[in-house]
Amino acid sequence: MTFSLAGLLGNSAPGHATGIDRTTVNLTALANLNALSPQNVPQVAPAATPVAAVEKTAIEKTAAEQIAPAEEEEFDTLAQAVAAQDSAAADDALQCLAGAIYFESKGEPLTGQLAVAEVIINRAKSGRFPADVCAVVKQRGQFSFVRGGQIPTITKGASYRTAVAVAKVALASAWNSPADKALYFNTPDRRPSVRAIKVASIGNHVFYR
C-alpha cells in the first residue's frame, strides 16, 4: 500500500493529529526551523585576559625581592670584610658589641677582636646567658670594663671604628670565627672559673667553650 504525503496533508482534518492549524503554517518557516538564528546561538564569552593574575604575580615578585636577603658579599680576608663595613653604630646591639670589642681587645689582631665578638653572640644564643647582646655585655660580674651596668663613654677614634666594623662582620656572620662556639675567654695566665675546653689562642686571649 502506497500513501501520498501531499495527499495526506491535504486531506487530513486540521488539528486531528497535532492540534496545529495547518492553514496558518508557513512552509518557509517550517523549512527554516532547524536553522539557528543568531540570537538563539549560545554565545561563548571570550576568555578573560589574565590581567589580575599578571598583576598579582608582579606584586608577589616585588614583595619577594624586598624581603629576600641580599646576596652575601664574599671576601678573601677578614681585613677586607672589616674594611667593607661603615663605622656607623646604628643600634643598641651593635653599640654594645662594639664597646665590648673595644675595651676587651683593641690593639689585638682582627681575628682576636672577632673572636671576642663571637663569644658574646654565642652567649646570647646559648640559653645559659641573657638572650640579647647588650644584656650579655652588661651582665654583672662578666666584663670588668662595665661600670654600674653601663659601658663607659668611648672616644670615637680609629680603634673604635675598627671595633664597630668587626661587630658588623660578626653580627652578619660575614667571616668564620677561629673561636667557633666559644663561650669564655681570658688572658693566658687565667682560666675560666667553670670547666671549659680550650678552642683557640689568639693574641693575648685564650678562648674556651
Side-chain angles (χ1 to χ4, degrees):
M1 183 181 294
T2 305
F3 292 94
S4 170
L5 180 60
L8 181 61
L9 289 173
N11 297 325
S12 297
H16 285 182
T18 62
I20 301 174
D21 186 354
R22 287 169 175 76
T23 62
T24 61
V25 173
N26 186 314
L27 294 180
T28 303
L30 284 173
N32 293 331
L33 278 178
N34 289 330
L36 293 176
S37 60
Q39 61 268 27
N40 292 330
V41 177
Q43 299 297 313
V44 179
T49 304
V51 174
V54 171
E55 291 177 351
K56 181 178 180 181
T57 302
I59 292 171
E60 289 176 348
K61 182 178 178 181
T62 302
E65 289 173 350
Q66 289 176 344
I67 65 175
E71 183 178 353
E72 292 183 3
E73 186 175 359
E74 295 184 358
F75 304 101
D76 294 328
T77 66
L78 175 55
Q80 287 182 1
V82 170
Q85 312 304 316
D86 61 57
S87 59
D91 55 40
D92 289 344
L94 185 57
Q95 291 178 22
C96 290
L97 188 57
I101 295 168
Y102 176 84
F103 284 111
E104 292 290 342
S105 60
K106 65 179 177 181
E108 292 285 308
L110 291 176
T111 51
Q113 296 186 49
L114 180 63
V116 166
E118 194 72 20
V119 165
I120 295 167
I121 293 171
N122 289 344
R123 285 189 177 191
K125 294 178 179 178
S126 70
R128 297 161 58 184
F129 294 86
D132 67 83
V133 168
C134 283
V136 168
V137 172
K138 297 176 182 180
Q139 186 178 12
R140 185 175 180 179
Q142 295 300 309
F143 295 99
S144 60
F145 68 87
V146 175
R147 296 286 184 270
Q150 299 299 320
I151 299 173
T153 301
I154 301 172
T155 301
K156 306 299 190 293
S159 294
Y160 180 70
R161 289 193 293 271
T162 297
V164 170
V166 171
K168 289 185 176 182
V169 170
L171 289 170
S173 299
W175 193 263
N176 292 330
S177 168
D180 185 42
K181 298 181 181 179
L183 291 173
Y184 310 94
F185 63 89
N186 223 321
T187 55
D189 58 334
R190 300 179 62 186
R191 288 183 60 85
S193 58
V194 297
R195 296 183 61 183
I197 300 172
K198 178 180 175 180
V199 295
S201 180
I202 308 169
N204 292 323
H205 290 107
V206 181
F207 296 85
Y208 305 87
R209 60 177 172 83

